[in-house]
Amino acid sequence: MHQHFLIHKPHGFLSQFVYAKKRNKKLLGELHNFPEGTMAIGRLDEDSEGLLLLTTDGMMSERVRSKKVEKEYYAQVDGIITEEAIERLKNGVEIGFNGIRYVTKKCDSKMVFELPDCIGEGRKIRDERHGPTSWFSITLTEGKFRQVRKMTAAVGFPTLRLVRIRVGNIHLQIKAGEVLSIFEFEI
């Protein structure tokens, strides 16, 4: 019988269990004693945080990573993001991917004025002397390498903090570093 887990991946952890390149990297296995064969469904880069699903079922991993399943992120950006920038994000922007220019698919995006408790204050990004920041939500069905960060930079608002809050109908509701073992989930 397969096992599934929800984890709130903290900043600074890799979305993997083994890392052969450099030493001193924090891995998911440090957060919980996962059964052998557990794999992350998709990835969050080392600088990103939030909802990460893990499973021992490779078929479930394929279903969740498909373009049919929405992934929603909250991004804290440098400056006060404008409605114009949000509209540009919604309609797709040009980013680089593997040395090739790529126009992102249309997506949903909106301003966020109140953060859920599970995100909390998080790590301190910078102090007020460096200017204001703002949060917005972006929901994608694709997942290119560092896509959200590249998209926000393309519209002039570099990402300072990125938190995945939803995958399909599963919402982030636990604090950073917490793990929930679940029997079954539907996306």
Side-chain angles (χ1 to χ4, degrees), residues 53-121:
L53 303 175
L54 293 90
T55 186
T56 58
D57 181 0
M59 292 302 291
M60 177 60 74
S61 179
E62 287 295 317
R63 283 195 301 273
V64 174
R65 289 185 298 132
S66 78
K67 291 184 180 357
K68 296 176 185 173
V69 178
E70 292 182 339
K71 287 87 177 171
E72 183 177 3
Y73 302 82
Y74 279 10
Q76 182 181 21
V77 294
D78 186 12
I80 305 300
I81 195 164
T82 63
E83 285 297 329
E84 177 190 4
I86 287 181
E87 284 303 314
R88 286 181 58 203
L89 291 168
K90 286 180 181 181
N91 292 315
V93 295
E94 186 176 285
I95 62 174
F97 177 69
N98 284 342
I100 299 169
R101 301 309 291 166
Y102 174 80
V103 177
T104 60
K105 294 184 178 185
K106 289 188 178 199
C107 65
D108 187 34
S109 187
K110 62 187 176 213
M111 297 288 290
V112 171
F113 299 103
E114 190 171 325
L115 297 177
D117 289 340
C118 61
I119 291 179
E121 291 297 316

Side-chain angles (χ1 to χ4, degrees), residues 7-184:
I7 185 171
H8 183 155
K9 185 192 99 52
H11 172 269
F13 279 75
L14 298 179
S15 296
Q16 55 198 72
F17 293 92
V18 178
Y19 188 70
K21 292 182 182 176
K22 293 180 183 176
R23 304 225 183 269
N24 301 325
K25 293 289 185 177
K26 295 178 188 173
L27 305 175
L28 295 178
E30 297 175 39
L31 298 173
H32 185 78
N33 187 19
F34 295 102
E36 190 172 328
T38 301
M39 65 189 91
I41 301 176
R43 297 201 184 268
L44 286 172
D45 65 36
E46 187 174 7
D47 292 332
S48 298
E49 355 169 4
L51 180 61
L52 186 63
L53 303 175
L54 293 90
T55 186
T56 58
D57 181 0
M59 292 302 291
M60 177 60 74
S61 179
E62 287 295 317
R63 283 195 301 273
V64 174
R65 289 185 298 132
S66 78
K67 291 184 180 357
K68 296 176 185 173
V69 178
E70 292 182 339
K71 287 87 177 171
E72 183 177 3
Y73 302 82
Y74 279 10
Q76 182 181 21
V77 294
D78 186 12
I80 305 300
I81 195 164
T82 63
E83 285 297 329
E84 177 190 4
I86 287 181
E87 284 303 314
R88 286 181 58 203
L89 291 168
K90 286 180 181 181
N91 292 315
V93 295
E94 186 176 285
I95 62 174
F97 177 69
N98 284 342
I100 299 169
R101 301 309 291 166
Y102 174 80
V103 177
T104 60
K105 294 184 178 185
K106 289 188 178 199
C107 65
D108 187 34
S109 187
K110 62 187 176 213
M111 297 288 290
V112 171
F113 299 103
E114 190 171 325
L115 297 177
D117 289 340
C118 61
I119 291 179
E121 291 297 316
R123 63 191 170 87
K124 185 148 177 83
I125 300 297
R126 64 182 191 199
D127 64 37
E128 299 77 34
R129 293 177 295 167
H130 295 101
T133 66
S134 57
W135 286 87
F136 77 99
S137 162
I138 186 165
T139 304
L140 308 172
T141 56
E142 59 183 342
K144 303 291 185 198
F145 179 72
R146 297 179 70 85
Q147 180 173 339
V148 174
R149 293 177 187 281
K150 291 176 182 180
M151 290 174 74
T152 65
V155 297
F157 294 90
T159 297
L160 301 172
R161 186 171 173 214
L162 184 62
V163 183
R164 182 162 50 204
I165 63 154
R166 181 173 64 86
V167 175
N169 61 9
I170 300 172
H171 294 263
L172 181 65
Q173 297 179 348
I174 56 179
K175 303 271 186 205
E178 291 183 340
V179 177
L180 288 178
S181 177
I182 55 175
F183 178 70
E184 193 173 305

